[in-house]
Amino acid sequence: MSNKKTEAKEESRHVRTEMARHSVDCGEVQVQCTHGVVHLYGRVRAMRGHEATFSAERDALLKGLRQRSGVRDVIAEWQIMG
């Protein structure tokens, strides 16, 4: 595997780790990392019992991803499910 593919795979793993720290169900989200840009595709929803704080948790997740070293931008193209 080339070094670029290894780096992208490692960055995707870090993104998934950050997702797990927040009360946002990202089970249907696909992650693609290219040249420091993180693309998030799919469906997200509030975890059961955390519906009231969903917007704040989603924003905190995106902020946490943007603050990671090596991340230039985060593009979230996802559907928010009720």
Side-chain angles (χ1 to χ4, degrees):
M1 198 181 306
S2 72
N3 192 29
K4 297 262 185 204
K5 286 184 181 179
T6 304
E7 289 175 14
K9 191 173 184 178
E10 185 71 15
E11 187 59 39
S12 293
R13 189 177 65 76
H14 288 298
V15 169
R16 291 274 179 202
T17 300
E18 184 68 28
M19 287 177 169
R21 292 183 179 142
H22 298 275
S23 300
V24 178
D25 181 357
C26 296
E28 297 182 44
V29 173
Q30 298 171 358
V31 177
Q32 182 180 16
C33 300
T34 308
H35 304 291
V37 179
V38 177
H39 294 269
L40 305 172
Y41 306 96
R43 298 178 183 163
V44 294
R45 66 186 60 143
M47 288 189 161
R48 189 172 294 177
H50 296 276
E51 292 86 357
T53 60
F54 175 67
S55 293
E57 284 291 325
R58 185 188 65 224
D59 293 344
L61 166 61
L62 294 174
K63 182 178 178 182
L65 291 173
R66 286 186 177 106
Q67 290 177 341
R68 290 196 49 80
S69 174
V71 174
R72 294 183 347 196
D73 195 14
V74 177
I75 301 171
E77 296 179 2
W78 49 26
Q79 293 176 330
I80 299 172
M81 307 305 288

